[in-house]
Amino acid sequence: MADEIGLFVYGIVPSDVEPTPDAVGVGDPPGEVDVVRQDRIAALVSEVGLEEPLGRPADLTAYQELLDGTAAVAPVLPVRFGTVVTGPDAVADLLDAHHDRFAAALDELEDRIQYTVHGRYDEQEVIAEILAENPAAADLAAQVRGQSEAATREQRIRLGEMISQAVELRREAESRHLIDTLAALSVANAPRQPSNELDAVNAAFLVDVDREDEFVEAVEEFAEQRRDVIRMRLLGPLAPYDFVSAHQLVE
């Protein structure tokens, strides 16, 4: 018996959007990306076996690359990864039931893209700065230096706690400074939770495309001022994952 086929739904877009010839979807082999249209809006989809397991790194990459590539040329509402429906009729029903809300959200996203700014402290540099600023921490570091872990366990625990607290305070200050610096160059911002204990900043920004160059320059200047202690990355342009999704509009 042949596997049943469904449609993997990537995102909602204006109805005039066409996938590029080289667009590939999820699955093994990758599915061909198609469009299901309904009045002013449409959905990017590809066929996938209903019993096919999804979630491989290649699937996540295909999902993100399709949405991010689309966002660079047209507004897009991401649909939660792994959303599979039974066929075109089910997609059309979804678009019809939420047409006006989807269309309004796409209008709001016209000529806007997401950038994500992520920075991580250089561990040795930030610890050196903390010890230079905190005599109590420096004293503990001196006590444990060259000593066995067993003999200095209590001091090491206290030192670790002091360094962790100091990093957290620095992170809060850096995040506020980042958002203050970029607020005037962005439409909205969304602070993210740290992905690592050494994270310095992690935030998403929704940016008008006509201010994109100004925004990127401001991030580069922010990074240059901290290059000795923070390793910065600018990710984008991206789909607006942190600001709106189709699921948020139907829940």
Side-chain angles (χ1 to χ4, degrees):
M1 180 177 175
D3 290 340
E4 291 187 77
I5 299 297
L7 288 180
F8 186 105
V9 186
Y10 299 86
I12 311 300
V13 295
S15 60
D16 59 353
V17 168
E18 295 282 355
T20 60
D22 59 347
V24 296
V26 301
D28 186 16
E32 181 179 347
V33 179
D34 200 358
V35 181
V36 177
R37 294 182 173 84
Q38 185 75 10
D39 196 7
R40 293 176 54 207
I41 61 176
L44 296 172
V45 301
S46 68
E47 290 189 348
V48 65
L50 291 179
E51 302 300 320
E52 183 175 349
L54 298 171
R56 301 173 305 138
D59 294 328
L60 291 166
T61 297
Y63 167 82
Q64 292 173 339
E65 288 184 348
L66 179 61
L67 290 177
D68 295 344
T70 301
V73 297
V76 57
L77 303 176
V79 171
R80 187 177 299 146
F81 178 83
T83 299
V84 178
V85 299
T86 54
D89 289 344
V91 177
D93 289 344
L94 172 69
L95 297 178
D96 184 59
H98 306 285
H99 180 279
D100 291 347
R101 298 183 73 181
F102 287 164
L106 289 170
D107 287 343
E108 286 288 320
L109 291 171
E110 185 72 38
D111 294 327
R112 291 173 174 174
I113 52 177
Q114 175 173 322
Y115 275 94
T116 299
V117 182
H118 180 260
R120 184 164 294 170
Y121 287 114
D122 178 284
E123 186 172 14
Q124 291 186 340
E125 292 291 339
V126 75
I127 290 176
E129 288 191 359
I130 290 169
L131 296 182
E133 297 169 1
N134 189 325
D139 182 58
L140 281 172
Q143 291 179 38
V144 303
R145 192 174 296 119
Q147 304 298 313
S148 70
E149 291 191 16
T152 58
R153 182 174 181 274
E154 187 175 328
Q155 293 95 324
R156 289 176 186 273
I157 291 174
R158 291 206 310 272
L159 178 60
E161 291 172 346
M162 294 174 73
I163 291 174
S164 178
Q165 290 170 1
V167 169
E168 185 174 351
L169 290 173
R170 283 171 171 249
R171 179 189 303 124
E172 291 173 356
E174 289 289 4
S175 296
R176 285 195 302 270
H177 193 182
L178 176 72
I179 289 172
D180 289 345
T181 299
L182 300 176
L185 299 173
S186 56
V187 178
N189 61 76
R192 291 175 149 197
Q193 291 298 313
S195 59
N196 182 280
E197 62 183 5
L198 288 172
D199 273 5
V201 292
N202 193 5
F205 297 85
L206 191 64
V207 180
D208 283 329
V209 293
D210 60 0
R211 306 208 71 179
E212 186 176 358
D213 290 344
E214 290 178 85
F215 179 86
V216 172
E217 288 176 6
V219 174
E220 289 175 346
E221 183 177 349
F222 184 94
E224 177 61 24
Q225 294 171 354
R226 294 156 176 78
R227 64 187 179 89
D228 290 338
V229 69
I230 301 178
R231 306 293 178 254
M232 299 283 293
R233 290 191 304 155
L234 178 62
L235 307 176
L238 307 171
Y241 305 104
D242 287 79
F243 298 98
V244 65
S245 73
H247 281 86
Q248 290 173 327
L249 297 173
V250 302
E251 289 175 349

